[in-house]
Amino acid sequence: EDQVTQSPEALRLQEGESSSLNCSYTVSGLRGLFWYRQDPGKGPEFLFTLYSAGEEKEKERLKATLTKKESFLHITAPKPEDSATYLCAVQAYGQNFVFGPGTRLSVLP
Amino acid sequence: DAMVIQNPRYQVTQFGKPVTLSCSQTLNHNVMYWYQQKSSQAPKLLFHYYDKDFNNEADTPDNFQSRRPNTSFCFLDIRSPGLGDAAMYLCATSRDREYEQYFGPGTRLTVT
């Protein structure tokens, strides 16, 4: 059975304090790994898709990387507006998305 | 802007009283999904449509039904809501099954 775990469950950072969020997965035949941002009371917002180990994607202060067992979302010099829950999802070939429980990020000014 | 729209944003219903949530999209995507998300949990897929082809998840309760009358619209019907059905309901679309999904803002359902 495909599984996704995310760590830490919650993370508090000071503004400007860089850190990384982890998404670990077990899936037979990874088709893609997806990162989303979700603000309270809203739907998830698509950030990145990663397809193969070694791939990296960047957007503003966010950088996503992928290995054969996990993905990291690196946040460089975060700002308070980066506070949100970050979800990752994996998809095996021919299967639906499996979401992780998310990491709640708080960035304090 | 192309988008996924959900109505209403907030819905209050009584225990056992049927309720319908709606989703529309201007992205012209082939696939539409319904997820249930409870507080601090991962979204849980209820079902999806690939064009008109309906796909039900094995553990989706019979109490939940869906309709997709055309490409743009999809409805979630909860026939007899229980207290355990209180949740955020998310609609998502994707160009095809193996592409990123785009979510609507969600409908927060309260059951009294």
Side-chain angles (χ1 to χ4, degrees):
Chain A
E1 184 181 331
D2 301 339
Q3 288 193 321
V4 182
T5 59
Q6 292 188 245
S7 61
E9 187 175 318
L11 181 62
R12 299 184 83 179
L13 299 173
Q14 290 294 132
E15 184 172 2
E17 180 187 1
S18 301
S19 188
S20 296
L21 314 182
N22 175 266
C23 171
S24 295
Y25 62 90
T26 53
V27 63
S28 50
L30 180 72
R31 168 70 175 86
L33 185 143
F34 304 83
W35 281 99
Y36 287 84
R37 169 193 170 126
Q38 187 173 26
D39 291 303
K42 297 188 177 180
E45 174 190 348
F46 170 69
L47 294 173
F48 304 110
T49 307
L50 300 166
Y51 292 106
S52 56
E55 189 175 0
E56 299 182 351
K57 293 270 180 77
E58 282 190 71
K59 180 180 179 180
E60 295 180 355
R61 294 177 292 282
L62 301 177
K63 179 179 176 180
T65 61
L66 181 65
T67 72
K68 289 187 178 179
K69 294 183 178 180
E70 57 191 351
S71 177
F72 291 94
L73 185 65
H74 307 278
I75 303 177
T76 302
K79 298 182 177 182
E81 53 261 42
D82 295 321
S83 298
T85 295
Y86 290 85
L87 298 167
C88 77
V90 298
Q91 186 183 34
Y93 283 95
Q95 302 297 316
N96 292 313
F97 280 28
V98 176
F99 278 89
T103 292
R104 282 193 319 279
L105 175 66
S106 300
V107 183
L108 307 177
Chain B
D1 282 345
M3 55 175 51
V4 182
I5 301 161
Q6 291 188 244
N7 285 303
R9 295 293 316 280
Y10 303 92
Q11 176 73 57
V12 180
T13 191
Q14 292 178 333
F15 183 93
K17 185 173 181 182
V19 66
T20 295
L21 310 182
S22 75
C23 176
S24 64
Q25 54 130 344
T26 61
L27 296 160
N28 202 32
H29 282 172
N30 287 321
V31 194
M32 295 187 78
Y33 306 82
W34 279 106
Y35 287 87
Q36 179 192 65
Q37 187 180 31
K38 297 189 176 180
S39 182
S40 299
Q41 294 184 18
K44 177 180 178 295
L45 183 64
L46 296 173
F47 21 60
H48 74 276
Y49 276 93
Y50 184 89
D51 196 11
K52 293 185 178 181
D53 181 26
F54 176 71
N55 297 271
N56 196 32
E57 291 303 293
D59 57 354
T60 299
D62 292 340
N63 198 22
F64 291 84
Q65 305 277 313
S66 184
R67 297 169 282 136
R68 188 180 186 186
N70 54 53
T71 302
S72 301
F73 284 87
C74 197
F75 299 96
L76 171 62
D77 301 307
I78 309 176
R79 292 193 292 187
S80 182
L83 298 179
D85 296 327
M88 174 75 90
Y89 289 88
L90 296 165
C91 174
T93 73
S94 64
R95 184 170 20 143
D96 208 317
R97 282 197 185 98
E98 295 181 345
Y99 286 87
E100 65 272 10
Q101 296 179 15
Y102 293 91
F103 285 81
T107 294
R108 169 73 64 188
L109 178 68
T110 301
V111 182
T112 61

